[in-house]
C-alpha cells in the first residue's frame, strides 16, 4: 500500500553490555552450522572464554521484548476553543499538561493519539523535550494530520515512517501514521499504526469506516509479508465497536488487548463495547488491559485512556512446533562424564545437539520436587522472593499455589491457553503435585482467544515405573501428538538412594534411563507430525543426595547435565559457548546476583520461546528468553 515515507534512521543497535543486542559473528555461526553430527567423532570441549569476551563475538537472537502501549483520543483543541462544542472545558494546551501527567504516571512507552492538533502537539513537545518523539506531530511532509504516534526515546528509535490516506468525514482522505520502531534494549522491531475513523456525527459514515478497515487489513498483511520478524499493532478511535473487531481480526489475523476471538467462521468481539482499540498480530501477547476513566481523565478528554502491557516473545526457528522435556532427577554430571557417557544415547545427544555437564539446580535446594517445579515455572524456591515454595518445607503442599501464597503460572498454562495439547508423565508418587496444581479445580483462567478451560493438562499420569511412563506417552502421542510433553524418569534417583550414586547398580540405572530416552527419540522420529519439528530436552534436575544432612552445597548434587537436540540446534556445541550472557560457574554453586550459570529453571522460557509463547508470568529465571540453543542464522530477526 502506497504512503508517504520518511527516511530511516540508523538501524544498528548499540553493544553496551550484557543486556544489549550482541553483534553478529558470521564466522562463528557458520562454524556451528557445519559442526560434525556423528557420535563417533566427538571433539574435546574447548575452554570457555570469559563472558565479556564472548558477548562481542557470539551471534545472538532477539530476546523477549516487553512494553506498555496505549491509545488516547485527547479531544482536539478546536472543540474547547472559543466557539467550540465543548463549552466550559479547559483549552487543549492546558489539557495537554494532564495528558503528559497520565503518560508519565502510567509508564507508557508508545501511545496512539487521536485529535492531536497543532497547539496540543506543540505543548506536548515543549513538555517532553527530547524524551519523547511523535510522528507526524508538527512535521508531516504530506500536510496537516491530527493523529500521531508518540514514543519514549529511551525505549524506542524510529526506523521508518509513513502516512496512509484513510477516508474520514465525507470520504475525504486523512493521513494516518504508521511507524516502524526498534526497541533500543532488545533490537526488536514493531510496526505501530494509528487511525481515527469517522463517526456518524456529520451523516452516515459506515461506508468510509468499512473502506478504512479494509485498508487497515491490507496494510497489516503487507507489512507482515515485508517485515516477517516485526509484529503489527493497530491503535485508534475506530468509532465502531464489535463490528470493527470482526472486520479486521479475521483478515489480518489480529487479536485485541481487551479479549475476543476468531475461531473458524465464528467471530466473538470482546465485551465492553469500546470504540477505542488496541489490536495486535498473534505474536504480540497482551495482559493488564486497563480502561482508565477517572475524574482526572474526564477533565482531560471525553475519551478514556486505554493501555495494556505487551510482550513479544524471543524468536525461534520456523517449524519447531513440539517440545519434549525429559527430567532425570538423581543424575550427576560425574557419571555422564565417565564411561557411561562415552557411548550410546548420551554420546548421541552430545554429538547431535547442544549440551553442558555444568548446569545448576536452584540455589536453595537440589531436591527433585523443588527443581521439577522450577523447570515448570521458571521460579526459584522461597516464596518471599517470588518463588514457588515447593521444597522450602519437608511436606509437599496441596498445590504449588498454596506453597507460594499466590497463583503460580507455568509452561502448561501458557501452552494450553494457546490451544496447544499438553502432557505430563512420571513415576514418582510425589509428582501428583503437578496434576493437583493445574487441574480443572486449581488451574487459572485463560486470557487468550478461545477459552481452553482451567485444566492445563490434557493428559497426566503417574505410573509404576519409567518404562510404563514412556510406553503410556508413546501410545498417546501416536494418536494425538502433544505440542508440549514433560516426562520425569525417576529410576536413576531410586537406584542412587538405594545403592549410592557411584556404584554399578546406579550406573546400570543411568544406562537404562537413557535407553528410555532413546525410545522417546525413536517415537518422535516415527510420528509424522513430530518428526523434524520437535525440540528434545534432557536434563538432570538434581544430582546425588546425601543420606544425612543437606545436599544443597555439595557439588555432586547441584551440578547437573543438560542436552538439547532438534531443528536449528547446532551439532556438537556447548551451551555456554552459545550463551554469552550466562557464565560457567566452575565448581561453585552461585547465588542469584551477578552473571548467572545455566540453571534447570532456564528451561521454562526456552520451552515457551520454542512454542512461540511469551515468558511465563512471574518467572525470574531468564524472563527475557535469552537462553539460546538455536543457530542464530536460522532464527528470524537475529
Amino acid at each position: 500500500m502506497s504512503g508517504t515515507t520518511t527516511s530511516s534512521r540508523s538501524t544498528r543497535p548499540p553493544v553496551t553490555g550484557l543486556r544489549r543486542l550482541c553483534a553478529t559473528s558470521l564466522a562463528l555461526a557458520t562454524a556451528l552450522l557445519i559442526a560434525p553430527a556423528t557420535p563417533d567423532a566427538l571433539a574435546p570441549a574447548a575452554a570457555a572464554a570469559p563472558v565479556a569476551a564472548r558477548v562481542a563475538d557470539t551471534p545472538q537472537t532477539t530476546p523477549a521484548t516487553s512494553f506498555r502501549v496505549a491509545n488516547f483520543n485527547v479531544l482536539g483543541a478546536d472543540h474547547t476553543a472559543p466557539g467550540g462544542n465543548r463549552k466550559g472545558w479547559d483549552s487543549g494546551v492546558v489539557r495537554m499538561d494532564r495528558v503528559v501527567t497520565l503518560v508519565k504516571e502510567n509508564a507508557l512507552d508508545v501511545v496512539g493519539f487521536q485529535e492531536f492538533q497543532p497547539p496540543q502537539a506543540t505543548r506536548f513537545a515543549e513538555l517532553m523535550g527530547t524524551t519523547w518523539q511523535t510522528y507526524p506531530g508538527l512535521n508531516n511532509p504530506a500536510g496537516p494530520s491530527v493523529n500521531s504516534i508518540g514514543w519514549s526515546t529511551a525505549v524506542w528509535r524510529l526506523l521508518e515512517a509513513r502516512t496512509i490516506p484513510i477516508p474520514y468525514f465525507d470520504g475525504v482522505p486523512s493521513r494516518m501514521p504508521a511507524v516502524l520502531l526498534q526497541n533500543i534494549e532488545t533490537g526488536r522491531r514493531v510496526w505501530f499504526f494509528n487511525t481515527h475513523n469517522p463517526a456518524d456525527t456529520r451523516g452516515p459514515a459506515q461506508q468510509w469506516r468499512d473502506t478504512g478497515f479494509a485498508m487497515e487489513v491490507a496494510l497489516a498483511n503487507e507489512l507482515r509479508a515485508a517485515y516477517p520478524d516485526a509484529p503489527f499493532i493497530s491503535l485508534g478511535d475506530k468509532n465502531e465497536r464489535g463490528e470493527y473487531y470482526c472486520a479486521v481480526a479475521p483478515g489480518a489475523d489480529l487479536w485485541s488487548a481487551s479479549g475476543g476471538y476468531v475461531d473458524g467462521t465464528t467471530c466473538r468481539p470482546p465485551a465492553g463495547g469500546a470504540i477505542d482499540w488496541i489490536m495486535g498480530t498473534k505474536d504480540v501477547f497482551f495482559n493488564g488491559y486497563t480502561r482508565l476513566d477517572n475524574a482526572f481523565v474526564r477533565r482531560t478528554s471525553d475519551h478514556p485512556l486505554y493501555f495494556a502491557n505487551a510482550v513479544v516473545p524471543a524468536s525461534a526457528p520456523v517449524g519447531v512446533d513440539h517440545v519434549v522435556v525429559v527430567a532425570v532427577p538423581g543424575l550427576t554430571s560425574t557419571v555422564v562424564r565417565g564411561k557411561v557417557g562415552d557411548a550410546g544415547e548420551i554420546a548421541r545427544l552430545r554429538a547431535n545437539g547442544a549440551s553442558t555437564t555444568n548446569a545448576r539446580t536452584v540455589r536453595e535446594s537440589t531436591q527433585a520436587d523443588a527443581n521439577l517445579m522450577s523447570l515448570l515455572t521458571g521460579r526459584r524456591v522461597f516464596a518471599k522472593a517470588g518463588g514457588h515454595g515447593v521444597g522450602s518445607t519437608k511436606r509437599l503442599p496441596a498445590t504449588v499455589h498454596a506453597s507460594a501464597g499466590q497463583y503460580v503460572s507455568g509452561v502448561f498454562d501458557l501452552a494450553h491457553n494457546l490451544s496447544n495439547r499438553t502432557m505430563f508423565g512420571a513415576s514418582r508418587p510425589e509428582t501428583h503435585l503437578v496434576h493437583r496444581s493445574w487441574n480443572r479445580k486449581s488451574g487459572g483462567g485463560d486470557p487468550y482467544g478461545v477459552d481452553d478451560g482451567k485444566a492445563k493438562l490434557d493428559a497426566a499420569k503417574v505410573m509404576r515405573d519409567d518404562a510404563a511412563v514412556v510406553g503410556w506417552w508413546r501410545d498417546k502421542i501416536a494418536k494425538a501428538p502433544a505440542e508440549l510433553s514433560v516426562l520425569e524418569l525417576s529410576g536413576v534417583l531410586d537406584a542412587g538412594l538405594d545403592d549410592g550414586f557411584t556404584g554399578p547398580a546406579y550406573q546400570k540405572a543411568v544406562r537404562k534411563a537413557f535407553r528410555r530416552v532413546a525410545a522417546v527419540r525413536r517415537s518422535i522420529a516415527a510420528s509424522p507430525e513430530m518428526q523434524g519439528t520437535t525440540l528434545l530436552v534432557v536434563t538432570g534436575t538434581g544430582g546425588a543426595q546425601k543420606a544425612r544432612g543437606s545436599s544443597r552445597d555439595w557439588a555432586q548434587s547441584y551440578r547437573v547435565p543438560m542436552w538439547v537436540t532438534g531443528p536449528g540446534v547446532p551439532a556438537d556445541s556447548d551451551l555456554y559457548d552459545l550463551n554469552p550472557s550466562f557464565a560457567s560457574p566452575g565448581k561453585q554453586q552461585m547465588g542469584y546476583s551477578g552473571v548467572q550459570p545455566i540453571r534447570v529453571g532456564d528451561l521454562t522460557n526456552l520451552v515457551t520461546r520454542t512454542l512461540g509463547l511469551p515468558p511465563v508470568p512471574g518467572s525470574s529465571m531468564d524472563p527475557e528468553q535469552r537462553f539460546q540453543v538455536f543457530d542464530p542464522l536460522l532464527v528470524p530477526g537475529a
Side-chain angles (χ1 to χ4, degrees), residues 353-412:
S355 63
T356 181
T357 57
N358 207 24
R360 290 292 183 267
T361 65
V362 289
R363 177 67 182 90
E364 303 94 330
S365 175
T366 62
Q367 295 290 333
D369 297 313
N371 284 280
L372 177 61
M373 282 300 162
S374 291
L375 187 157
L376 297 178
T377 68
R379 294 179 182 233
R380 52 200 290 185
V381 172
F382 294 146
K384 289 184 178 180
H388 52 68
V390 177
S392 57
T393 61
K394 291 184 178 180
R395 294 185 61 183
L396 286 178
T399 67
V400 64
H401 322 304
S403 66
Q406 59 181 322
Y407 187 81
V408 176
S409 295
V411 290
F412 293 128

Coordinates of all heavy atoms in Angstrom, one line a residue, residues 353-412:
G353 N 23.6 -32.3 19.2 CA 23.0 -31.1 19.8 C 23.9 -30.3 20.6 O 25.1 -30.3 20.5
A354 N 23.3 -29.5 21.5 CA 24.0 -28.6 22.4 C 23.9 -29.1 23.8 O 22.8 -29.6 24.2 CB 23.4 -27.2 22.3
S355 N 25.0 -29.0 24.6 CA 24.9 -29.7 25.9 C 25.9 -29.0 26.8 O 26.8 -28.2 26.4 CB 25.3 -31.2 25.8 OG 26.6 -31.3 25.3
T356 N 25.8 -29.3 28.1 CA 26.8 -29.0 29.1 C 26.6 -30.0 30.3 O 25.6 -30.6 30.5 CB 26.5 -27.6 29.7 OG1 27.5 -27.3 30.7 CG2 25.2 -27.4 30.3
T357 N 27.7 -30.2 30.9 CA 27.7 -31.0 32.2 C 27.8 -30.2 33.4 O 28.1 -30.6 34.5 CB 28.8 -32.1 32.2 OG1 30.1 -31.5 32.0 CG2 28.6 -33.1 31.0
N358 N 27.7 -28.8 33.2 CA 27.9 -27.9 34.3 C 26.7 -27.0 34.5 O 26.9 -25.8 34.8 CB 29.2 -27.1 34.1 CG 29.8 -26.7 35.4 OD1 29.6 -27.3 36.4 ND2 30.6 -25.6 35.3
A359 N 25.5 -27.5 34.3 CA 24.3 -26.7 34.6 C 24.1 -26.8 36.1 O 24.7 -27.5 36.8 CB 23.1 -27.1 33.9
R360 N 23.1 -26.0 36.6 CA 22.9 -25.9 38.1 C 21.4 -26.1 38.4 O 20.5 -25.8 37.7 CB 23.3 -24.5 38.6 CG 24.8 -24.3 38.6 CD 25.5 -25.2 39.6 NE 27.0 -25.0 39.7 CZ 27.9 -25.7 39.0 NH1 27.5 -26.6 38.1 NH2 29.1 -25.4 39.2
T361 N 21.2 -26.6 39.6 CA 19.9 -26.6 40.2 C 19.6 -25.2 40.7 O 20.4 -24.3 40.6 CB 19.8 -27.6 41.4 OG1 20.7 -27.1 42.4 CG2 20.3 -29.0 41.0
V362 N 18.4 -25.0 41.3 CA 18.2 -23.8 42.0 C 19.1 -23.7 43.2 O 19.6 -24.8 43.7 CB 16.7 -23.7 42.5 CG1 15.8 -23.5 41.3 CG2 16.3 -24.9 43.2
R363 N 19.4 -22.5 43.7 CA 20.3 -22.4 44.8 C 19.8 -23.0 46.1 O 20.6 -23.5 46.9 CB 20.6 -20.9 45.0 CG 21.6 -20.5 46.2 CD 22.9 -21.1 45.9 NE 23.9 -20.8 47.0 CZ 24.1 -21.7 48.0 NH1 23.4 -22.8 48.0 NH2 25.0 -21.4 48.9
E364 N 18.5 -22.9 46.4 CA 18.0 -23.2 47.7 C 17.9 -24.7 47.9 O 17.8 -25.2 49.1 CB 16.6 -22.6 47.9 CG 16.6 -21.1 47.7 CD 16.2 -20.7 46.3 OE1 16.5 -21.5 45.4 OE2 15.6 -19.6 46.1
S365 N 17.8 -25.5 46.8 CA 17.5 -26.9 47.0 C 18.0 -27.7 45.8 O 17.9 -27.2 44.7 CB 16.0 -27.2 47.2 OG 15.7 -28.6 47.3
T366 N 18.5 -28.9 46.1 CA 18.9 -29.8 45.0 C 17.9 -31.0 44.9 O 18.1 -31.9 44.1 CB 20.3 -30.4 45.2 OG1 20.3 -31.2 46.4 CG2 21.3 -29.3 45.3
Q367 N 16.8 -30.9 45.6 CA 15.8 -32.0 45.6 C 15.0 -32.0 44.3 O 14.8 -31.0 43.7 CB 14.9 -31.8 46.8 CG 15.6 -31.9 48.2 CD 16.0 -33.4 48.5 OE1 15.4 -34.3 48.0 NE2 17.1 -33.5 49.3
A368 N 14.4 -33.2 44.1 CA 13.7 -33.4 42.8 C 12.5 -32.6 42.7 O 12.2 -32.0 41.7 CB 13.3 -34.9 42.7
D369 N 11.7 -32.4 43.8 CA 10.4 -31.7 43.7 C 10.6 -30.2 43.5 O 10.0 -29.6 42.6 CB 9.6 -31.9 45.0 CG 9.2 -33.3 45.2 OD1 8.7 -34.0 44.3 OD2 9.4 -33.9 46.3
A370 N 11.6 -29.6 44.2 CA 11.9 -28.2 44.0 C 12.3 -27.9 42.6 O 11.9 -26.9 42.0 CB 12.9 -27.8 45.0
N371 N 13.2 -28.7 42.1 CA 13.7 -28.4 40.7 C 12.8 -28.8 39.6 O 12.8 -28.1 38.6 CB 15.1 -29.1 40.6 CG 16.2 -28.4 41.3 OD1 16.7 -27.4 40.9 ND2 16.5 -28.9 42.5
L372 N 11.9 -29.8 39.8 CA 10.8 -30.0 38.8 C 9.9 -28.8 38.8 O 9.5 -28.4 37.7 CB 10.1 -31.3 39.2 CG 8.9 -31.6 38.3 CD1 9.3 -31.8 36.8 CD2 8.1 -32.8 38.8
M373 N 9.6 -28.2 39.9 CA 8.7 -27.1 39.9 C 9.4 -25.8 39.3 O 8.8 -25.0 38.6 CB 8.2 -26.7 41.3 CG 7.1 -27.6 41.7 SD 5.6 -27.5 40.7 CE 4.7 -29.0 41.1
S374 N 10.7 -25.7 39.5 CA 11.4 -24.6 38.9 C 11.5 -24.8 37.4 O 11.4 -23.8 36.6 CB 12.9 -24.5 39.5 OG 12.8 -24.1 40.8
L375 N 11.6 -26.0 36.9 CA 11.6 -26.3 35.5 C 10.3 -25.9 34.9 O 10.3 -25.4 33.7 CB 11.9 -27.8 35.3 CG 12.1 -28.3 33.8 CD1 12.9 -29.6 33.9 CD2 10.8 -28.6 33.1
L376 N 9.2 -26.2 35.6 CA 7.9 -25.9 35.1 C 7.5 -24.4 35.2 O 6.6 -24.0 34.4 CB 6.8 -26.8 35.7 CG 7.0 -28.3 35.6 CD1 5.9 -29.0 36.4 CD2 6.9 -28.7 34.1
T377 N 8.0 -23.7 36.1 CA 7.6 -22.3 36.4 C 8.6 -21.2 36.2 O 8.3 -20.1 36.1 CB 7.1 -22.2 37.9 OG1 8.2 -22.3 38.8 CG2 6.0 -23.3 38.2
G378 N 9.9 -21.6 36.1 CA 10.9 -20.6 36.0 C 11.2 -19.8 37.2 O 11.8 -18.7 37.2
R379 N 10.7 -20.3 38.4 CA 10.9 -19.6 39.6 C 11.9 -20.3 40.5 O 12.1 -21.5 40.5 CB 9.5 -19.5 40.4 CG 8.5 -18.7 39.7 CD 7.2 -18.7 40.5 NE 6.1 -18.0 39.9 CZ 5.4 -17.0 40.5 NH1 5.7 -16.7 41.7 NH2 4.4 -16.4 39.9
R380 N 12.5 -19.5 41.4 CA 13.3 -20.0 42.5 C 12.4 -20.6 43.5 O 11.2 -20.7 43.3 CB 14.2 -18.9 43.0 CG 13.5 -17.7 43.4 CD 14.4 -16.5 43.6 NE 15.3 -16.5 44.7 CZ 16.1 -15.5 45.0 NH1 16.1 -14.4 44.3 NH2 16.9 -15.6 46.1
V381 N 12.9 -21.0 44.7 CA 12.1 -21.7 45.7 C 11.4 -20.8 46.6 O 10.2 -20.9 46.7 CB 13.0 -22.7 46.5 CG1 12.2 -23.4 47.6 CG2 13.5 -23.8 45.5
F382 N 12.1 -20.0 47.4 CA 11.5 -19.3 48.5 C 10.4 -18.3 48.1 O 10.6 -17.4 47.3 CB 12.5 -18.6 49.4 CG 13.5 -19.5 50.0 CD1 14.8 -19.1 50.2 CD2 13.1 -20.8 50.5 CE1 15.7 -20.0 50.8 CE2 14.0 -21.6 51.1 CZ 15.3 -21.2 51.2
A383 N 9.2 -18.5 48.7 CA 8.0 -17.8 48.3 C 8.2 -16.3 48.6 O 7.7 -15.4 47.8 CB 6.8 -18.3 49.1
K384 N 8.9 -15.9 49.6 CA 9.1 -14.5 50.0 C 9.9 -13.8 48.9 O 9.8 -12.5 48.8 CB 9.8 -14.3 51.3 CG 8.9 -14.7 52.5 CD 9.6 -14.4 53.8 CE 8.7 -14.7 55.0 NZ 9.4 -14.5 56.3
A385 N 10.7 -14.5 48.1 CA 11.4 -13.9 47.0 C 10.7 -14.2 45.6 O 11.3 -14.1 44.6 CB 12.8 -14.5 46.9
G386 N 9.4 -14.5 45.7 CA 8.7 -14.7 44.5 C 8.8 -16.1 44.0 O 8.4 -16.4 42.8
G387 N 9.2 -17.0 44.8 CA 9.4 -18.4 44.4 C 8.2 -19.2 44.5 O 7.1 -18.8 44.9
H388 N 8.3 -20.5 44.0 CA 7.1 -21.4 44.0 C 6.9 -22.0 45.4 O 5.8 -22.6 45.7 CB 7.3 -22.5 43.0 CG 8.6 -23.2 43.0 ND1 8.9 -24.1 44.1 CD2 9.6 -23.3 42.2 CE1 10.1 -24.6 43.9 NE2 10.6 -24.1 42.7
G389 N 7.9 -22.0 46.3 CA 7.7 -22.5 47.6 C 7.9 -24.0 47.8 O 8.1 -24.5 48.9
V390 N 7.8 -24.8 46.8 CA 8.0 -26.2 46.9 C 9.4 -26.6 47.2 O 10.3 -26.2 46.5 CB 7.5 -26.9 45.6 CG1 7.7 -28.4 45.7 CG2 6.1 -26.6 45.3
G391 N 9.6 -27.3 48.3 CA 10.9 -27.6 48.8 C 11.4 -26.8 49.9 O 12.5 -27.0 50.5
S392 N 10.7 -25.7 50.2 CA 11.1 -24.9 51.3 C 10.7 -25.5 52.7 O 11.2 -25.1 53.7 CB 10.4 -23.5 51.2 OG 9.0 -23.6 51.2
T393 N 9.8 -26.5 52.7 CA 9.5 -27.3 53.8 C 9.5 -28.8 53.4 O 9.5 -29.1 52.2 CB 8.1 -27.0 54.4 OG1 7.1 -27.3 53.4 CG2 8.0 -25.5 54.7
K394 N 9.6 -29.7 54.4 CA 9.7 -31.1 54.1 C 8.4 -31.7 53.5 O 8.4 -32.6 52.7 CB 10.1 -31.9 55.4 CG 11.5 -31.6 55.9 CD 11.9 -32.4 57.1 CE 13.3 -32.2 57.5 NZ 13.7 -33.0 58.7
R395 N 7.3 -31.1 53.9 CA 6.0 -31.6 53.4 C 5.6 -31.0 52.1 O 5.8 -29.8 51.9 CB 4.9 -31.4 54.5 CG 5.1 -32.2 55.8 CD 3.9 -32.0 56.7 NE 2.6 -32.4 56.0 CZ 1.4 -32.3 56.6 NH1 1.3 -31.7 57.8 NH2 0.4 -32.8 55.9
L396 N 5.1 -31.8 51.2 CA 4.6 -31.2 50.0 C 3.2 -30.5 50.2 O 2.4 -31.1 50.9 CB 4.4 -32.3 48.9 CG 5.7 -32.8 48.3 CD1 5.4 -34.0 47.3 CD2 6.5 -31.7 47.6
P397 N 3.0 -29.4 49.5 CA 1.7 -28.7 49.7 C 0.6 -29.4 48.9 O 0.9 -30.3 48.0 CB 2.0 -27.3 49.2 CG 3.0 -27.6 48.1 CD 3.9 -28.7 48.6
A398 N -0.6 -29.0 49.1 CA -1.7 -29.5 48.3 C -1.5 -29.1 46.8 O -1.8 -29.8 45.9 CB -3.0 -29.0 48.9
T399 N -1.1 -27.8 46.6 CA -0.8 -27.3 45.3 C 0.4 -26.4 45.4 O 0.7 -25.9 46.5 CB -2.0 -26.5 44.7 OG1 -2.2 -25.3 45.5 CG2 -3.3 -27.3 44.7
V400 N 1.0 -26.1 44.3 CA 2.1 -25.2 44.3 C 1.6 -23.8 44.6 O 2.3 -23.0 45.2 CB 2.8 -25.2 42.9 CG1 1.9 -24.7 41.8 CG2 4.1 -24.3 42.9
H401 N 0.4 -23.5 44.3 CA -0.2 -22.2 44.6 C -0.3 -22.0 46.1 O -0.1 -20.9 46.7 CB -1.5 -22.0 44.0 CG -1.7 -22.6 42.6 ND1 -0.8 -22.2 41.6 CD2 -2.5 -23.5 42.1 CE1 -1.1 -22.9 40.5 NE2 -2.1 -23.7 40.8
A402 N -0.6 -23.0 46.8 CA -0.7 -23.0 48.3 C 0.7 -22.7 48.9 O 0.8 -21.9 49.9 CB -1.3 -24.3 48.9
S403 N 1.7 -23.3 48.4 CA 3.1 -23.0 48.9 C 3.6 -21.7 48.6 O 4.4 -21.1 49.3 CB 4.0 -24.1 48.4 OG 4.2 -24.0 47.0
A404 N 3.2 -21.1 47.4 CA 3.7 -19.8 47.0 C 2.8 -18.7 47.6 O 3.3 -17.5 47.6 CB 3.7 -19.7 45.5
G405 N 1.6 -19.0 48.0 CA 0.7 -17.9 48.5 C 0.1 -17.1 47.4 O -0.5 -16.0 47.7
Q406 N 0.1 -17.6 46.2 CA -0.5 -16.9 45.1 C -0.6 -17.9 43.9 O 0.1 -19.0 44.0 CB 0.3 -15.7 44.6 CG 1.8 -16.1 44.2 CD 2.6 -14.9 43.8 OE1 2.1 -14.0 43.2 NE2 3.9 -14.9 44.2
Y407 N -1.3 -17.6 42.9 CA -1.4 -18.5 41.7 C 0.0 -18.4 41.0 O 0.6 -17.4 40.8 CB -2.5 -18.0 40.7 CG -2.6 -19.1 39.6 CD1 -3.4 -20.2 39.9 CD2 -2.0 -18.9 38.4 CE1 -3.5 -21.2 38.9 CE2 -2.1 -19.9 37.4 CZ -2.8 -21.0 37.7 OH -2.9 -22.0 36.7
V408 N 0.5 -19.6 40.7 CA 1.7 -19.8 40.0 C 1.5 -20.3 38.6 O 1.0 -21.4 38.4 CB 2.7 -20.7 40.8 CG1 4.0 -21.0 40.0 CG2 3.0 -20.2 42.2
S409 N 1.8 -19.5 37.6 CA 1.7 -19.9 36.2 C 2.9 -20.8 35.9 O 4.0 -20.6 36.4 CB 1.6 -18.7 35.3 OG 0.5 -18.0 35.5
G410 N 2.7 -21.7 34.9 CA 3.8 -22.5 34.4 C 3.7 -22.7 33.0 O 2.8 -22.1 32.3
V411 N 4.6 -23.5 32.4 CA 4.6 -23.8 31.0 C 3.3 -24.4 30.5 O 2.9 -24.2 29.4 CB 5.8 -24.7 30.6 CG1 7.1 -23.9 30.7 CG2 5.8 -26.0 31.4
F412 N 2.7 -25.2 31.4 CA 1.4 -25.8 30.9 C 0.3 -24.8 30.8 O -0.6 -24.9 29.9 CB 1.0 -26.9 31.9 CG 1.9 -28.1 32.0 CD1 2.4 -28.6 33.2 CD2 2.3 -28.8 30.8 CE1 3.3 -29.7 33.2 CE2 3.1 -29.9 30.8 CZ 3.6 -30.3 32.0

